[in-house]
Amino acid sequence: MTEKSAENLIPRPAKGETRPSLMGRPPVVVVMGHVDHGKTSLLDYIRIHGGQKAARPVAGREAGGITQHVGAYEIEHSLTKSKQTAKITFIDTPGHEAFSKIRERGAKVADIAVLVIAAEESIKPQTKEALSYIQKENLPFIVAISKIDLPQANPDKVKQDLAELEVFVEDWGGKIPCVQVSAKTGQGIDELLEMILLVAELEDLKASPDAEPEGVIIESSLDPNRGIIATAIILNGTLEQGKTIYTASAEAKIKSLENFLGQREKSLSFSSPAIITGWDNQPKVGEKFSARPLVAQAIEKETKSSVDSSPETAVADKTKNIFLILKADVTGSLEALETIIRQIFQETNFAPIIIEKSVGPITLTDIKTAETTKSIIVGFRSSPDQELGNYLKDRQIAIFQSQIIYELMEKLTEYLDELAKPTEAKISGKLKILEIFSEKDKKNRQVIGGQLFEGKAKKNQKFYLIKPDQPDQERTEAGKILSIKKNKQELDSAEAVVEIGLQTESLAEFAKGDILEFKA
């Protein structure tokens, strides 16, 4: 048995107690791989042809056709030889680089991994990352070479690339099972399921329905109507409605218990996904739950997020702080949002300062906080409450939101690019110097005459000095207008086109032909 054996998850009995009787446990299988290599399409096929036809396809529910949430699904597979059925629980993990922590947790929770590699693309960055998590957790795994139906499919190239990573599949003299599959035609999928069950049999997975329930939180969110909702995988024992469970950061007297299809259940047992309501606080993704509070309290809390949200951690060499309020639909999405914030800001001169982060819709509180702190709001799969429409009309609050992670990345990148551009000076008018009527006095005052050929000029207005023979010069403030005269008449302002006299205060040296640009 490997380190991930179920028996290691069962607490030792206290003195005088008897250990609950053990029985075979369905495997929990994590499906991993690079984005768009067919993980979700493969799971769709398995669900539809695995006895769960009532379930909607995964890909159809995800914006942009890519997985952006961790999902857990249970199927029953009919064994070819014995004609008996066996359950398998699948965890689907997003392939986008922003979701790396979700993939890492998936490897920690699962008994077996399926590493999906597209036959026409072979090894990609997230393939290597997923493989590193699998190897770190000493997790038995199966290689599924997907999209085998495509004309450009080259499974031998995949096997060769794996060999270069010192991963040797069975038909290349190694020990790693390898199955060629197509989610389009169904080729190889029965073989893949049989292989999963064979590996599970060799792992000798055990658990007890009579043990105290234990498991892992894989997702949590806030529903305005139902409160805090957490999705968990049960690893041992039986979870029942009305029972109290604990994590290191939260407690729940289970108000409702649902299976992965959203159907109400009075109880669910090991290896099953469970949707749980009744939490007093939002449990953290990756936390273990237990029926014993002391056990839950002993579990080490998750390490601090890699994106520090305290203003004191602003990077010293950054030129400006950008204050952010982050919102997402679920905790996994929020975590991914923090990851992309770090990536996007890394190549800029701006430092991201996260004022607040939470799950749920963008609320009035978020808007008012943004106004007070001059923050921008970034929402991933999170939108403003409908009643905020009128409130937002009269307020200049930057809100960036999208249902798709890479679209949100593009919006933020474009915004930061615009901020980084030099600010164009706003000019109210332009004057060409025609005459210089006096030398500077001790207070740098001087009288000049010129043609106001564009816009307006006002008393006390500041100006830039532009030298025609220096077209690429940097625009810097040169002085201000002390008074304006036209035909000896004092004016507060003048409009083009007109010739006027100005008394100026400036350290600059004027010459005929110079241009004064008046700041708006």
Side-chain angles (χ1 to χ4, degrees):
M1 291 175 61
T2 69
E3 293 177 13
K4 305 215 42 104
S5 167
E7 198 161 356
N8 291 322
L9 297 168
I10 300 171
R12 294 178 181 272
K15 189 174 181 179
E17 292 182 343
T18 58
R19 182 184 287 276
S21 57
L22 299 177
M23 59 187 296
R25 177 171 69 82
V28 177
V29 180
V30 63
V31 181
M32 307 174 81
H34 191 77
V35 65
D36 201 32
H37 271 207
K39 303 181 308 300
T40 303
S41 297
L42 177 63
L43 278 170
D44 281 348
Y45 190 97
I46 290 171
R47 291 180 73 192
I48 293 169
H49 297 274
Q52 300 295 346
K53 294 183 181 180
R56 290 181 295 171
V58 186
R61 297 184 310 187
E62 296 284 6
I66 61 171
T67 302
Q68 300 184 116
H69 284 155
V70 63
Y73 324 103
E74 194 175 65
I75 64 113
E76 290 188 359
H77 177 65
S78 298
L79 298 167
T80 304
K81 293 182 180 178
S82 64
K83 302 301 181 183
Q84 295 178 334
T85 59
K87 286 185 177 181
I88 305 173
T89 294
F90 285 96
I91 300 175
D92 183 18
T93 62
H96 193 282
E97 60 183 329
F99 296 91
S100 59
K101 287 186 179 179
I102 291 179
R103 290 191 291 277
E104 185 173 13
R105 281 195 298 269
K108 289 180 181 292
V109 174
D111 305 303
I112 300 166
V114 173
L115 182 61
V116 179
I117 307 173
E120 90 285 14
E121 288 194 343
S122 192
I123 307 295
K124 291 290 182 179
Q126 274 70 64
T127 316
K128 293 179 181 179
E129 180 203 66
L131 182 60
S132 71
Y133 295 146
I134 290 168
Q135 293 172 331
K136 179 182 176 182
E137 296 300 319
N138 194 26
L139 192 63
F141 70 103
I142 300 162
V143 172
I145 301 178
S146 63
K147 303 187 181 183
I148 200 67
D149 55 283
L150 296 179
Q152 61 270 39
N154 189 350
D156 285 338
K157 174 69 164 54
V158 175
K159 295 173 186 178
Q160 180 177 338
D161 290 347
L162 284 170
E164 290 176 3
L165 297 175
E166 297 186 352
V167 175
F168 300 99
V169 298
E170 287 178 339
D171 54 345
W172 276 48
K175 296 182 179 180
I176 306 300
C178 180
V179 182
Q180 298 180 26
V181 298
S182 168
K184 185 175 182 179
T185 66
Q187 177 185 340
I189 292 181
D190 280 343
E191 184 184 349
L192 175 62
L193 297 176
E194 297 277 342
M195 185 60 70
I196 289 169
L197 293 170
L198 176 59
V199 173
E201 185 179 343
L202 294 173
E203 290 299 299
D204 193 26
L205 304 172
K206 299 289 185 183
S208 170
D210 302 320
E212 291 182 338
E214 289 185 330
V216 179
I217 306 297
I218 63 170
E219 194 59 276
S220 66
S221 61
L222 178 63
D223 186 295
N225 299 316
R226 301 176 66 193
I228 298 168
I229 302 173
T231 302
I233 298 290
I234 305 168
L235 296 176
N236 193 37
T238 300
L239 202 57
E240 298 175 346
Q241 185 176 336
K243 197 173 187 72
T244 301
I245 57 174
Y246 308 85
T247 73
S249 63
E251 173 184 333
K253 184 173 183 181
I254 301 174
K255 184 177 179 180
S256 71
L257 186 65
E258 299 173 3
N259 63 22
F260 77 96
L261 292 172
Q263 299 167 339
R264 288 288 188 101
E265 300 281 359
K266 291 184 177 179
S267 65
L268 290 168
S269 194
F270 44 74
S271 297
S272 292
I275 301 170
I276 304 164
T277 64
W279 297 92
D280 63 343
N281 289 306
Q282 191 151 12
K284 295 180 180 178
V285 175
E287 284 187 326
K288 293 180 181 178
F289 72 78
S290 168
R292 298 182 183 184
L294 293 179
V295 173
Q297 291 169 13
I299 298 171
E300 184 178 356
K301 291 187 177 182
E302 285 189 316
T303 56
K304 189 179 180 182
S305 169
S306 56
V307 176
D308 200 317
S309 60
S310 62
E312 291 76 18
T313 60
V315 182
D317 63 351
K318 301 292 186 177
T319 60
K320 183 180 180 181
N321 294 334
I322 304 294
F323 298 100
L324 302 164
I325 295 172
L326 306 186
K327 300 289 292 190
D329 56 340
V330 296
T331 50
S333 297
L334 187 62
E335 188 177 71
L337 182 55
E338 287 188 79
T339 300
I340 69 165
I341 292 293
R342 182 183 68 250
Q343 292 172 346
I344 291 169
F345 276 80
Q346 193 171 15
E347 300 301 322
T348 72
N349 286 324
F350 303 115
I353 308 299
I354 300 173
I355 300 298
E356 286 186 3
K357 55 183 179 179
S358 60
V359 299
I362 297 168
T363 64
L364 180 60
T365 300
D366 298 319
I367 300 299
K368 289 185 174 180
T369 302
E371 285 183 291
T372 304
T373 60
K374 301 188 185 307
S375 299
I376 65 172
I377 298 175
V378 185
F380 176 33
R381 302 174 70 95
S382 176
S383 302
D385 287 333
Q386 291 183 352
E387 60 268 22
L388 292 179
N390 291 332
Y391 187 88
L392 287 170
K393 282 181 181 178
D394 302 325
R395 287 163 172 81
Q396 299 294 321
I397 299 173
I399 300 178
F400 297 91
Q401 61 189 77
S402 179
Q403 299 292 306
I404 305 173
I405 194 75
Y406 58 77
E407 284 187 359
L408 190 56
M409 292 176 72
E410 290 174 359
K411 288 181 180 180
L412 288 173
T413 301
E414 289 174 3
Y415 173 73
L416 293 176
D417 287 345
E418 284 298 315
L419 282 184
K421 291 179 181 178
T423 304
E424 287 292 329
K426 293 183 178 179
I427 306 299
S428 71
K430 295 181 182 181
L431 175 140
K432 183 178 181 179
I433 297 177
L434 301 177
E435 293 288 343
I436 298 175
F437 295 115
S438 70
E439 299 293 329
K440 287 183 187 177
D441 64 15
K442 292 180 180 179
K443 294 183 179 180
N444 294 311
R445 294 176 297 189
Q446 190 171 16
V447 178
I448 62 173
Q451 184 186 54
L452 182 64
F453 63 90
E454 181 180 313
K456 295 181 180 180
K458 296 187 297 182
K459 188 176 178 180
N460 295 321
Q461 193 170 27
K462 294 180 180 180
F463 57 79
Y464 303 107
L465 175 62
I466 308 299
K467 296 287 186 179
D469 58 345
Q470 300 174 26
D472 297 327
Q473 66 187 293
E474 184 178 347
R475 182 185 275 108
T476 56
E477 191 176 295
K480 71 175 182 178
I481 301 172
L482 297 178
S483 66
I484 304 174
K485 284 187 177 182
K486 180 183 178 185
N487 299 326
K488 298 183 179 182
Q489 180 183 356
E490 288 275 355
L491 301 174
D492 289 328
S493 64
E495 290 190 31
V497 173
V498 65
E499 290 189 5
I500 54 177
L502 302 178
Q503 184 183 39
T504 63
E505 181 182 80
S506 175
L507 292 172
E509 296 297 329
F510 299 139
K512 291 182 181 180
D514 287 351
I515 304 296
L516 301 188
E517 292 186 345
F518 304 114
K519 292 179 65 176

